């Protein structure tokens, strides 16, 4: 889609850092309440797409035992798990050699999904793979669920079971913007200018993809282009420094 | 350094273990997401097709008429059909007076996807067949202008419709308002993409697609609009009128068999062209499309141009002399 200005991406999915914190807190709080009430939080999706929820405690003894055993995750711990799976998502891409556009789309889906839910409610590994599958569909890079499951030794049915909840959590706003083609060209130019075509120093597009030091929030409160510009300038400044160091050594 | 790393890995494993603990519990069944009430009351079946059915419904909240497209999920092995995902995601982004509004999406059981749209009275195909087609030039001009406005908007948003035909053009009778529908075959386009050739309804399919080209662009939609234009004037599909064995032969009979001069690249695209059909001299559009003013015929000939690179764009069509008196829009 050419027009970012009128897109759902811009209208609905860019937040201030404060708004993001509130959303994460709300999801985390809800999961904690379910944990207190039921002793567990994870929802499961069965073969026909139905959700099943944790049962509330029958007795005070059950509650006490379960409460003793399960300690809820903090917001920071949740972020840590999300970043872990965002990096795992890159591994899936490397295995399948998908184009960057699909990688970017899946990553944005994953981030958006966990604006609504806590990782304690929906298994991030399953959601991550479902986001990959959804991104392949929307970007018309047809990969069957079976193929995807086989490629990473996972049950493909789990991908299909979660598909509906992912689309609904994303509110069907599935067209997303990520300026990878232009950035890739820009990076190539920078590499040639700074260190020559044969140099060992390579800018890693994967690093750009996970959005550097603040991977969780960057793509949600900055426009894609801004994220890329910030990250690329960081990379360039490092390259320039490296170039100066090389000159000094010589 | 090694100890620090192993400590970190150990603590992260503990974190994942705690996450796993969250799922250890008995469960009760719940609803399928989106299976909740669609908030519509079905009145009757408006249409049926290969995808499923379209119901005329009443929105229980607003009392307004809506159309619910219920799509059967046949190949459950691939989850929700990509065609539905494509249609829904594009309609979420396209906002134009001449494009149908998608109001909401829902799911019933595990077999149907329900798309709820604003209601329109009938489609252009029904209008042409049942109402003796738009005989007055003003209606044809108005409808054409609205169709082209919607197509130009889609193209400006880098979207090809790829299945334009009278049954996908909906009409609000009282306002004489046109809305494009059915974006199930639509897709975003880029300069370097290869697309599928198996799409569109054959009478409205551009010659480059019929010649099995997989590199095409916005021009395919303009060809379809040209076919719709002709159909509004003559009251039946243009290439159905011409007696021929298939659509491509019909096109060549009407517009002449292309050569490298008239359509550069055709011999590469269709090396067996001379074997496939005899060399036809063009019969000319005016032979079949008789009741159209000269400027309209000129616009039609620019839309039904064999060489896609010379075919007029939607944006340019809107500025054509045919629409100089469109102060009634």
């Amino acid at each position: 889609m050419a027009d970012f200005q009128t897109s759902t991406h811009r209208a609905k999915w860019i937040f201030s850092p404060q708004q993001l914190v509130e959303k994460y807190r709300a999801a985390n709080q809800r999961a904690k309440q379910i944990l207190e009430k039921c002793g567990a939080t994870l929802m499961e999706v069965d073969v026909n797409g139905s959700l099943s929820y944790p049962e509330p405690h029958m007795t005070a003894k059950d509650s006490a035992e379960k409460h003793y055993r399960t300690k809820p995750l903090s917001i920071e711990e949740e972020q840590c798990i999300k970043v872990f799976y965002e990096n795992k998502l890159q591994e899936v891409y490397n295995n399948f050699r998908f184009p960057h556009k699909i990688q970017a789309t899946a990553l944005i889906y994953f981030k958006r999904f966990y604006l609504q839910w806590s990782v304690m409610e929906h298994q991030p590994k399953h959601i991550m793979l479902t986001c990959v599958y959804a991104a392949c569909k929307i970007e018309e890079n047809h990969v069957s669920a079976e193929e995807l499951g086989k490629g990473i030794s996972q049950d493909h049915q789990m991908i299909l079971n979660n598909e509906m909840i992912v689309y609904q959590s994303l509110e069907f706003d599935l067209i997303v913007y990520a300026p990878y083609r232009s950035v890739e060209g820009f990076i190539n130019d920078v590499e040639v200018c700074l260190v020559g075509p044969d140099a060992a120093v390579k800018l890693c597009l994967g690093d750009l993809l996970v959005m550097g030091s603040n991977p969780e929030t960057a793509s949600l409160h900055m426009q894609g282009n801004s994220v890329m510009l910030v990250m690329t300038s960081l990379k360039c400044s490092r390259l320039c420094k490296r170039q100066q160091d090389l000159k000094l050594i010589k | 350094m090694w100890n620090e790393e192993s400590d970190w890995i150990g603590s992260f494993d503990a974190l994942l273990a705690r996450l796993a603990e969250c799922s250890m519990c008995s469960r009760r069944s719940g609803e399928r997401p989106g299976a909740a009430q669609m908030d519509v009351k079905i009145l009757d079946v408006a249409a049926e097709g290969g995808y499923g059915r379209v119901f005329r419904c009443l929105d229980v909240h607003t009392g307004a008429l809506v159309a619910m497209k219920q799509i059967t999920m046949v190949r459950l092995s691939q989850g929700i059909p990509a065609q539905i995902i494509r249609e829904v995601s594009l309609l979420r982004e396209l906002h134009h007076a001449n494009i149908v509004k998608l109001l909401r999406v829902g799911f019933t059981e595990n077999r149907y996807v329900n798309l709820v749209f604003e209601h329109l009275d009938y489609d252009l195909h029904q209008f042409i067949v049942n109402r003796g087609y738009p005989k007055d030039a003003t209606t044809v001009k108005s409808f054409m202008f609205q169709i082209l406005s919607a197509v130009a908007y889609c193209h400006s948003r880098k979207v090809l419709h790829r299945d334009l035909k009278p049954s996908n053009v909906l009409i609000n009778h009282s306002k004489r308002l046109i809305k494009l529908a059915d974006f199930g075959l639509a897709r975003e386009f880029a300069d370097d993409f290869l697309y599928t050739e198996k799409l569109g309804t054959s009478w409205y399919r551009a010659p480059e697609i019929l010649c099995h080209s997989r590199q095409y662009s916005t021009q395919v939609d303009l060809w379809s609009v040209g076919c719709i234009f002709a159909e509004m004037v003559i009251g039946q599909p243009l290439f159905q009128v011409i007696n021929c064995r298939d659509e491509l032969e019909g096109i060549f009979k009407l517009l002449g068999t292309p050569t490298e001069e008239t359509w550069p690249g055709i011999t590469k695209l269709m090396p067996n062209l001379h074997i496939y059909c005899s060399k036809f001299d063009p019969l000319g559009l005016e032979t079949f499309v008789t009741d159209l003013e000269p400027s309209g015929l000129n616009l039609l000939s620019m839309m039904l141009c064999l060489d896609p690179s010379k075919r007029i764009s939607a944006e340019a069509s809107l500025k054509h002399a045919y629409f100089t008196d469109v102060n009634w829009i």
Side-chain angles (χ1 to χ4, degrees):
Chain A
M1 302 287 285
D3 194 14
F4 177 76
Q5 297 308 312
T6 60
S7 67
T8 53
H9 189 142
R10 184 175 185 267
K12 290 169 62 181
W13 296 101
I14 290 177
F15 305 93
S16 68
Q18 290 80 3
Q19 287 173 313
L20 285 175
V21 170
E22 281 162 27
K23 281 182 173 290
Y24 295 138
R25 191 180 290 131
N28 182 264
Q29 202 57 45
R30 186 181 61 236
K32 279 179 178 172
Q33 283 166 0
I34 296 170
L35 190 65
E36 269 174 40
K37 188 179 163 191
C38 308
T41 54
L42 200 76
M43 294 182 195
E44 281 177 1
V45 192
D46 67 17
V47 71
N48 78 340
S50 299
L51 284 176
S52 57
Y53 304 88
E55 279 277 24
H57 292 303
M58 293 300 122
T59 65
K61 184 175 176 282
D62 284 348
S63 182
E65 277 178 16
K66 189 73 185 178
H67 202 73
Y68 167 75
R69 204 174 68 206
T70 311
K71 188 185 167 207
L73 301 179
S74 67
I75 296 172
E76 291 72 25
E77 287 170 327
E78 283 203 48
Q79 302 292 62
C80 192
I81 284 171
K82 281 184 260 187
V83 171
F84 172 76
Y85 281 105
E86 282 168 16
N87 282 291
K88 281 282 174 204
L89 194 140
Q90 273 189 273
E91 286 176 31
V92 174
Y93 281 95
N94 295 337
N95 289 349
F96 281 90
R97 291 191 171 87
F98 287 141
H100 289 303
K101 181 78 173 89
I102 291 180
Q103 192 173 354
T105 301
L107 188 70
I108 292 170
Y109 288 175
F110 185 81
K111 287 176 187 293
R112 285 183 185 181
F113 183 89
Y114 283 110
L115 282 179
Q116 336 279 345
W117 301 99
S118 159
V119 295
M120 293 183 274
E121 291 173 301
H122 289 282
Q123 176 59 264
K125 180 172 78 174
H126 297 172
I127 297 303
M128 179 260 290
L129 295 173
T130 307
C131 288
V132 171
Y133 183 58
C136 287
K137 258 187 195 177
I138 202 73
E139 297 299 341
E140 293 202 22
N141 193 304
H142 299 295
V143 174
S144 71
E146 239 170 304
E147 213 179 318
L148 192 61
K150 260 185 211 155
I152 44 184
S153 314
Q154 295 293 326
D155 174 21
H156 76 280
Q157 194 56 54
M158 159 274 294
I159 296 172
L160 297 175
N161 291 355
N162 282 291
E163 195 183 7
M164 205 76 83
I165 190 76
V166 166
Y167 290 140
Q168 289 200 303
S169 301
L170 301 175
E171 295 171 33
F172 290 92
D173 298 329
L174 303 174
I175 289 171
V176 297
Y177 294 77
Y180 288 100
R181 281 177 68 187
S182 46
V183 169
E184 211 164 3
F186 176 60
I187 287 169
N188 291 341
D189 291 348
V190 169
E191 280 178 354
V192 171
C193 292
L194 291 177
V195 288
D198 304 320
V201 181
K202 283 282 170 199
L203 282 167
C204 175
L205 210 68
D207 288 357
L208 290 175
L209 198 64
V210 183
M211 311 296 183
S213 58
N214 193 358
E216 187 54 44
T217 58
S219 68
L220 295 168
H221 70 73
M222 291 166 83
Q223 294 181 13
N225 311 40
S226 317
V227 173
M228 285 304 169
L229 215 52
V230 170
M231 292 311 303
T232 309
S233 61
L234 275 170
K235 285 276 179 190
C236 289
S237 61
R238 283 178 205 156
L239 266 181
C240 290
K241 192 176 184 310
R242 173 76 186 266
Q243 182 75 347
Q244 285 166 353
D245 293 347
L246 287 171
K247 279 179 184 168
L248 286 171
I249 293 163
K250 284 174 188 172
Chain B
M1 174 62 203
W2 167 250
N3 285 345
E4 268 181 42
E5 194 172 308
S6 58
D7 284 353
W8 186 88
I9 291 166
S11 60
F12 191 76
D13 282 347
L15 196 58
L16 290 176
R18 271 170 58 208
L19 179 63
E21 266 185 17
C22 291
S23 63
M24 294 176 186
C25 68
S26 56
R27 314 205 148 261
R28 63 182 167 83
S29 279
E31 278 297 301
R32 173 187 186 78
Q37 281 298 307
M38 276 302 293
D39 300 332
V40 292
K41 183 186 173 192
I42 294 173
L43 300 176
D44 54 31
V45 178
E48 277 193 71
Y51 53 83
R53 290 182 289 183
V54 177
F55 296 97
R56 213 160 55 90
C57 305
L58 209 59
D59 188 313
V60 295
H61 297 304
T62 63
L65 271 177
V66 291
M68 184 172 79
K69 187 174 177 180
Q70 190 171 77
I71 298 153
T72 314
M73 285 168 61
V74 185
R75 291 179 63 211
L76 285 169
S77 61
Q78 288 311 311
I80 303 167
Q83 193 167 327
I84 298 167
I85 298 305
R86 200 182 297 143
E87 178 165 22
V88 171
S89 60
L90 286 171
L91 285 172
R92 299 284 292 159
E93 304 292 327
L94 299 171
H95 307 288
H96 190 270
N98 300 116
I99 292 174
V100 72
K101 280 191 191 77
L102 174 67
L103 304 174
R104 54 187 176 274
V105 185
F107 304 91
T108 51
E109 301 148 9
N110 61 339
R111 284 179 54 239
Y112 298 113
V113 180
N114 296 324
L115 309 182
V116 180
F117 294 95
E118 61 177 318
H119 180 267
L120 285 108
D121 303 304
Y122 40 79
D123 62 50
L124 185 58
H125 174 71
Q126 291 167 323
F127 186 83
I128 291 168
V129 172
N130 304 336
R131 288 171 174 74
Y133 64 96
K135 289 192 172 69
D136 63 301
T138 312
T139 305
V140 172
K141 202 171 283 194
S142 166
F143 284 7
M144 274 304 295
F145 192 86
Q146 292 180 72
I147 292 167
L148 284 164
S149 298
V151 172
Y153 173 81
C154 289
H155 292 176
S156 74
R157 296 291 180 278
K158 292 254 188 282
V159 172
L160 302 179
H161 188 286
R162 303 197 299 181
D163 194 21
L164 289 169
K165 55 185 176 182
S167 57
N168 287 341
V169 176
L170 306 180
I171 302 170
N172 176 318
H173 181 76
S174 58
K175 295 179 185 171
R176 276 290 192 268
L177 184 65
I178 286 280
K179 298 216 178 207
L180 287 196
D182 204 341
F183 281 74
L185 285 179
R187 68 154 299 145
E188 289 180 85
F189 66 85
D191 302 333
D192 56 353
F193 274 15
L194 287 174
Y195 307 122
T196 176
E197 61 195 62
K198 297 183 180 76
L199 48 81
T201 308
S202 52
W203 281 331
Y204 309 93
R205 208 179 283 173
E208 59 269 33
I209 294 173
L210 293 169
C211 290
H212 309 292
S213 169
R214 289 185 63 217
Q215 265 187 310
Y216 52 80
S217 189
T218 53
Q219 298 91 341
V220 297
D221 284 342
L222 267 296
W223 178 276
S224 303
V225 173
C227 295
I228 293 168
F229 188 10
E231 190 167 338
M232 277 199 282
V233 177
I234 64 175
Q236 55 185 312
L238 177 62
F239 295 106
Q240 186 187 26
V241 176
I242 302 159
N243 180 31
C244 54
R245 61 179 170 161
D246 62 25
E247 295 77 21
L248 204 53
E249 189 183 79
I251 291 168
F252 294 161
K253 266 187 179 178
L254 181 70
L255 304 171
T257 307
T259 61
E260 271 301 314
E261 288 72 50
T262 59
W263 183 353
I266 184 63
T267 47
K268 196 177 174 187
L269 191 59
M270 221 179 160
N272 59 345
L273 179 64
H274 59 289
I275 304 161
Y276 171 77
C277 67
S278 20
K279 185 158 171 42
F280 296 109
D281 290 321
L283 293 168
L285 283 167
E286 60 283 354
T287 316
F288 296 94
V289 188
T290 49
D291 300 329
L292 189 57
E293 61 190 84
S295 63
L297 205 56
N298 176 261
L299 175 60
L300 181 60
S301 67
M302 291 167 92
M303 286 176 173
L304 298 181
C305 173
L306 282 173
D307 181 359
S309 65
K310 295 192 190 94
R311 208 172 293 153
I312 193 169
S313 70
E315 198 64 54
S317 299
L318 290 168
K319 294 174 184 140
H320 191 274
Y322 177 62
F323 296 115
T324 46
D325 54 345
V326 288
N327 50 8
W328 32 259
I329 291 288

